[in-house]
Amino acid sequence: MNKEGYMAAKNFFDKHKKIKNTATAVQKGSEILIYVTYPVFLAVLLFSNNIFWLKSAAVCGIGFVLVRLFRRFYNAPRPYQMYDITPVINKQTQGCSFPSRHCFSAAVIAVSVSVINLPLGIFLGALALIIAALRVAFGVHFIRDVAFGILLGALFGAVQYFI
């Protein structure tokens, strides 16, 4: 998306406060649901003596750390920095846009959960895509940031199947 696209999204949300509030609540609610599901998932695995809990915790944890380190090293600017616009949501972070950590985390959790509960994993994957779309619409990430975050999260999640 270019500057005009981000400006159009910003103007749309500014004119339609109810839609903005709903979209913001959907994003936050999706994040919370995914992030609460993961420790519950790990606990269920642990208490059922399923060793997959250790694989999942290790792979997700290592992946998260690697993404965080890469973001600091690469330090890509965010759309609101590059285009000098105000994001739809209150965000003041400078740089560290690529890849999206929210999208990586959501995708790796969705793939992890799908090992034990495929319908729940698919549902969480759909929430990851909603988060990705809203992060772009809100002007805090470029499409490449969220797409690579989802792809990388899915790949890290898939690693758990092979170790």
Side-chain angles (χ1 to χ4, degrees):
M1 198 156 57
N2 58 18
K3 181 177 183 173
E4 290 76 27
Y6 286 109
M7 291 297 297
K10 171 81 167 120
N11 290 336
F12 175 82
F13 284 119
D14 285 348
K15 288 179 185 173
H16 301 92
K17 296 291 186 194
K18 287 183 180 180
I19 295 174
K20 175 186 174 181
N21 292 340
T22 301
T24 303
V26 166
Q27 181 196 331
K28 273 291 171 214
S30 297
E31 291 171 9
I32 290 168
L33 186 56
I34 290 170
Y35 299 152
V36 167
T37 299
Y38 187 61
V40 171
F41 163 74
L42 290 178
V44 167
L45 291 177
L46 178 64
F47 292 123
S48 64
N49 292 320
N50 187 328
I51 194 66
F52 190 77
W53 79 268
L54 184 58
K55 290 181 186 182
S56 182
V59 169
C60 292
I62 290 168
F64 185 80
V65 169
L66 291 175
V67 165
R68 188 174 175 129
L69 290 172
F70 178 80
R71 284 165 44 107
R72 291 201 185 271
F73 171 75
Y74 188 67
N75 200 25
R78 294 175 177 272
Y80 58 84
Q81 291 175 268
M82 183 171 279
Y83 297 135
D84 195 29
I85 58 174
T86 303
V88 174
I89 58 174
N90 186 17
K91 185 80 172 167
Q92 297 176 10
T93 305
Q94 300 294 305
C96 297
S97 183
F98 180 84
S100 167
R101 202 173 46 214
H102 281 89
C103 292
F104 170 83
S105 299
V108 76
I109 290 168
V111 172
S112 295
V113 169
S114 70
V115 170
I116 303 302
N117 188 323
L118 184 58
L120 181 57
I122 291 170
F123 174 71
L124 295 178
L127 292 181
L129 294 175
I130 289 169
I131 291 168
L134 290 173
R135 303 290 289 172
V136 172
F138 289 163
V140 297
H141 278 294
F142 291 103
I143 292 171
R144 69 167 189 256
D145 301 339
V146 299
F148 196 74
I150 295 264
L151 176 65
L152 198 58
L155 289 174
F156 264 84
V159 166
Q160 300 168 76
Y161 293 99
F162 302 106
I163 59 172

